[in-house]
Every structure is written in structure tokens, then in C-alpha cells.
Amino acid sequence: MKAVIIFYLIFNSLLASAEISVLGIKDVLKIAIDHNPKILAAKEKLFQYENQKSLNKSYLYPNLSWNFGGTYQKDALYNGSPKFNGDPYNFYSSDLKLNQLLYGKGALSAISLYDYDRKIQEATVELEERSLTQNVIESFYRYILNQQTLLNLQKNQDIIQKSLATSTKRYQMGRGQLLDILQVKTQLALLGPQIEQAKNQLVIASQQLINYMGISEGDEFKLKGSIRTLLLKDIKKVIDLNKFKLPEYEINRLQLAQLDYAKDVALAKDYPTVKFLGDYLYNNYKKSELFSDYSHAWAIQLQVSIPLFSGFSSGDQRSIINSQKNQLILARKDLEDSLSLKQISSLRNLETAETSLVSSELAVKLGEAAQAEASRIYKLSQIDFLQFLAVQQSALQAKSSLDQLKFQTVLAYSNYFVATGQPLSVLLDLLTANDVGAK
């Protein structure tokens, strides 16, 4: 089944000429990953954590500051010994200060803490891209399914319209009944709302796809693709279940490892810190002599700060972190159970669908043959319209069932690849293998 779908996407920069671009699912996915707001926000947050790690590193380096100032002041006479007999005077100062942390528990852990934030966000970006890929696959092939449904209804409408001409001709010749004409018109009237509903579903599917693509200015495009019949034996040849990548599991693992560093940072306030302090100072009443040898002073200091009591907060902090660890362990167990269930259910769905596909494809072939034969003998007045209609409806139902089954199989494969940690790019290669111009 091939389908070429035209709709208005919103993307100016993609067109280099006035020609209409033809987009396959891989083209659509690339636009979505490059422009989807959720993906862009996740990548921006990753950039934030990269800079946060660099910021935390800066706290380990020496802190050097220089204060320079000049003051015009006057001492009060009641002090007893006012400078310059209470007359106004100038006072200049230059102060160079050094502050270097030598030891502080959690200082290095704080850097590692944000490094884990960065790693977790990297896995989150992968998770978001995988989720977007699944959504694009579903929306793209749902669009094709809806397009094919519309085409089937329109073909059926065309066949019934031709049968109306046949029924009218037979009635005029006295070989038919008015009842046949009324039944044909009734079926045409019933098909109208179905066609309109199919058009609405097509518009909804296209808008969903546009939303995933994250674009906002329109040009005309064609979508090109088909829903392939995939077999499990062919899928198993190109995947390796021993090699898998599950971003959600990786996030949980990183969060558990991060807690050790978070514990160090949280408890750092209850441990001693050691700093080296230096101060080089110039003071003088004359600007010209501010940096003379007799105007300077200096001091160095090794400062040790030892917390003695913090209201038993360290015990509470440990309990909080242990609780967070237990939550993550339970979340991992729930994740493992969920993934295991998805693997089993998606595999069973695929096995069932594969069996059903064989029967459905046979039903379509038989339905098309019956449809052709019914059209032939109906023109010869060998069957009435109700018999003819029954054949048409059976053929249409067979086609619709096959299309729906193919679509459900694509979704089942998508879920199976995700549950087993296989790259969806491999599935896309299989789905587009026979598409002209597939990349």
C-alpha cells in the first residue's frame, strides 16, 4: 500500500526553491528533533548543567580581591586626640586579599553532583528524543492509515455511484425496481458522513504531526510513505537483545550514584573547614606616598572552622537521603517490572498480529476478486443490489481491517523496540526499505 499525502506544514527554511518538497518519515523526524520545543528545552537544560559544573569548579580556585579607595574626612574634637587637630584630611587605602579553601568536605562532591546532573540530563534528552520518535512514527502512519481509509471510502462511493447508473438504466428498461434505486441512494447518503469523518481524522492527524515538528510558518509539502508488512523473523535478524540502551534505567542508576555525592554536600556543614587567608594593605594620608615602604602592612592566616553543635540536623539529613535512596530502589524495581511486562505483551501482540496478517491479506485478495465479479454480474442483472452491496461492504471491511492491522503492528514493533532497548532508527530503516527516496 502506497500513499502520497499533501498537507500544509509550517517551515520556510526547508524550501530552497518554489518546488514542493517530498518528505518521508525520516525527514519529518529530523525536522521534529531540530525544532520541537520540548527537545530544545531539554538540550538547553543540558547546557545549563554543563555551565553549573564549571561554576562549581571555580569555588576551588583562589579568591583574590583588591579594594582601593580614598576618603576625605574629619575627626571629632571630643575624641581627645583628633588627627590633624580636627581639621579635614585625606585618607587613602589599598587592600589586596587572598582567600583559598584548603579543605572542605563536599567541595569536590559538589562538582561531581552537577556532573551527575549533566549525565542525567543527557539521558533525559535521549529519552525525550525516543519518545518524540515514537510519537512521530504513530502520527505519520496514522496519517497514512486515515488517508487510505478515505481513499477506500471514495472508491466505494464511486462503485456505488456507478451502480446507481446501472440501477436507473435497468429500471427505465423495465428490468429493475424502484426499490433498488432507493437503496443505492440510501447507501450513497450514508457514505457522505463517513467520508467527511475520514477527512476530519486526516486533518487531526496532520495537525498532530505538525505540532510534533514544532514549526510555525507554512509551505506546501508532500508526505510519502507506506505501511509495510513486517515479519518477526526478519526483525530478529537485525536486532541484538543482548545489546540494549534504556535511558529511563540509566537515569535511575545515575540518580542512585548521585546520592552519595549529595550526602557529602548536605553533611559538609557539620565538618571542619580549613582556609588560607592573606591580606596585603597600604594606608597613607598622602596619595603620592601611598605605596611607599613605610605605608604597607601584611598578614597571613590559617583559619580552621569547627562546627560544634547543629541541633542534630545531620541525623535528619541522613534519614532524608536514605529515604530518597529507598524510593529510587523501589522505582527501579517498578521500572524493571514495567519493562518486562511491555516486552512480553508487545512480543505476544506481534506474534498474534503476524498470524492475523496472513488471513487479512488473503481476505483482501478474495474480497477484490468478489468485488470485480459482483460488479460484472450485477450489470447483467444476475444479482440484486443487496447482494452487490454485501460484497462491496465485505471487500471494504477486509481492506480496512488489513490497514488497521498493519498500523497496529507498526505500533507494536515500536513498543517492542523501546521495551527491549533497541534503536528506533533500525525500525525506521525497515519501515522505509521499499520507499522510493528513503534515506
Side-chain angles (χ1 to χ4, degrees):
M1 176 184 61
K2 293 286 182 180
V4 178
I5 306 115
I6 303 178
F7 69 102
Y8 289 91
L9 292 177
I10 315 176
F11 189 50
N12 278 330
S13 61
L14 195 63
L15 278 181
S17 67
E19 296 181 358
I20 298 176
S21 294
V22 178
L23 302 181
I25 186 171
K26 290 185 178 181
D27 303 310
V28 172
L29 180 60
K30 184 179 184 305
I31 295 172
I33 290 177
D34 289 342
H35 297 87
N36 185 271
K38 199 170 183 180
I39 299 296
L40 295 178
K43 291 180 178 179
E44 191 63 33
K45 195 169 185 178
L46 175 60
F47 179 72
Q48 172 191 332
Y49 284 131
E50 289 174 348
N51 285 275
Q52 188 67 51
K53 179 184 175 182
S54 299
L55 175 63
N56 274 46
K57 278 185 177 180
S58 66
Y59 297 139
L60 300 180
Y61 299 131
N63 190 326
L64 189 64
S65 62
W66 180 42
N67 296 320
F68 179 82
T71 306
Y72 182 67
Q73 65 186 59
K74 173 183 178 301
D75 294 342
L77 293 174
Y78 68 83
N79 285 339
S81 56
K83 294 182 178 64
F84 300 101
N85 296 319
D87 293 331
Y89 62 93
N90 296 322
F91 183 75
Y92 303 97
S93 64
S94 174
D95 194 359
L96 188 64
K97 293 184 177 182
L98 172 68
N99 188 326
Q100 173 63 60
L101 178 68
L102 299 179
Y103 171 78
K105 184 176 177 61
L108 294 176
S109 295
I111 298 174
S112 299
L113 189 67
Y114 279 101
D115 189 43
Y116 270 91
D117 278 334
R118 180 186 59 80
K119 292 177 181 178
I120 290 170
Q121 190 59 30
E122 283 181 347
T124 301
V125 170
E126 291 181 11
L127 186 61
E128 293 289 353
E129 289 185 349
R130 190 192 70 183
S131 177
L132 179 63
T133 301
Q134 264 198 298
N135 290 333
V136 168
I137 288 174
E138 179 179 354
S139 295
F140 185 89
Y141 288 109
R142 187 181 296 279
Y143 192 97
I144 293 179
L145 172 66
N146 291 336
Q147 174 75 4
Q148 191 61 35
T149 299
L150 178 59
L151 291 175
N152 289 337
L153 288 172
Q154 289 172 337
K155 287 179 181 179
N156 195 46
Q157 185 186 46
D158 184 58
I159 291 173
I160 294 178
Q161 282 176 337
K162 290 179 181 178
S163 70
L164 175 60
T166 302
S167 297
T168 302
K169 183 177 180 180
R170 286 167 56 181
Y171 176 70
Q172 291 172 347
M173 295 173 62
R175 298 171 56 190
Q177 299 179 4
L178 178 61
L179 180 61
D180 286 344
I181 297 176
L182 294 175
Q183 287 175 331
V184 175
K185 289 183 177 180
T186 300
Q187 291 304 314
L188 285 174
L190 290 174
L191 271 176
Q194 295 179 42
I195 291 175
E196 288 303 314
Q197 178 66 20
K199 289 180 179 179
N200 289 337
Q201 292 300 319
L202 197 61
V203 171
I204 293 172
S206 65
Q207 188 58 51
Q208 182 64 75
L209 199 56
I210 290 171
N211 290 344
Y212 286 136
M213 294 172 74
I215 46 183
S216 57
E217 294 185 2
D219 284 300
E220 189 175 343
F221 290 85
K222 290 182 180 179
L223 283 185
K224 188 171 185 179
S226 62
I227 306 180
R228 290 195 59 202
T229 300
L230 301 178
L231 299 178
L232 196 56
K233 61 182 181 65
D234 298 324
I235 294 293
K236 289 183 176 180
K237 293 178 183 178
V238 296
I239 63 175
D240 186 355
L241 297 179
N242 294 319
K243 295 179 180 180
F244 57 89
K245 191 170 187 180
L246 297 166
E248 56 269 69
Y249 194 84
E250 180 66 8
I251 289 172
N252 181 273
R253 185 191 69 80
L254 291 169
Q255 287 174 333
L256 276 168
Q258 187 186 37
L259 277 181
D260 293 332
Y261 298 100
K263 184 177 181 180
D264 278 349
V265 174
L267 299 178
K269 60 184 179 59
D270 299 314
Y271 287 82
T273 59
V274 181
K275 292 182 180 181
F276 175 79
L277 305 177
D279 192 1
Y280 201 82
L281 178 68
Y282 282 91
N283 287 323
N284 205 294
Y285 301 107
K286 294 182 179 180
K287 188 190 304 183
S288 59
E289 298 181 3
L290 176 60
F291 294 104
S292 63
D293 291 340
Y294 66 85
S295 298
H296 77 279
W298 57 267
I300 57 175
Q301 178 184 13
L302 189 65
Q303 184 184 82
V304 180
S305 300
I306 304 176
L308 298 179
F309 180 71
S310 59
F312 307 108
S313 62
S314 60
D316 295 331
Q317 191 66 57
R318 285 186 174 88
S319 297
I320 291 172
I321 293 175
N322 288 335
S323 177
Q324 292 174 341
K325 184 176 182 179
N326 291 334
Q327 293 174 48
L328 288 172
I329 292 174
L330 292 172
R332 181 173 62 184
K333 179 64 171 59
D334 181 65
L335 179 61
E336 290 171 348
D337 292 342
S338 176
L339 289 173
S340 177
L341 177 60
K342 287 181 179 179
Q343 289 173 12
I344 294 172
S345 61
S346 59
L347 182 58
R348 290 291 177 263
N349 289 337
L350 288 172
E351 292 172 345
T352 303
E354 191 165 312
T355 303
S356 301
L357 278 170
V358 176
S359 299
S360 294
E361 288 175 343
L362 178 60
V364 169
K365 291 179 181 178
L366 292 174
E368 289 175 346
Q371 199 174 32
E373 179 63 13
S375 296
R376 185 184 71 81
I377 62 178
Y378 179 66
K379 291 179 181 179
L380 299 175
S381 303
Q382 295 178 2
I383 59 173
D384 59 23
F385 178 71
L386 289 179
Q387 292 174 300
F388 174 77
L389 178 62
V391 173
Q392 300 301 326
Q393 289 177 335
S394 295
L396 178 62
Q397 184 178 3
K399 291 178 182 178
S400 298
S401 296
L402 178 59
D403 293 339
Q404 184 67 34
L405 187 57
K406 284 183 175 182
F407 173 69
Q408 294 297 335
T409 303
V410 169
L411 297 189
Y413 273 114
S414 176
N415 291 331
Y416 180 68
F417 269 65
V418 168
T420 54
Q422 302 301 305
L424 286 172
S425 58
V426 174
L427 177 60
L428 288 175
D429 289 339
L430 293 170
L431 289 171
T432 58
N434 292 339
D435 291 349
V436 177
K439 299 176 182 179

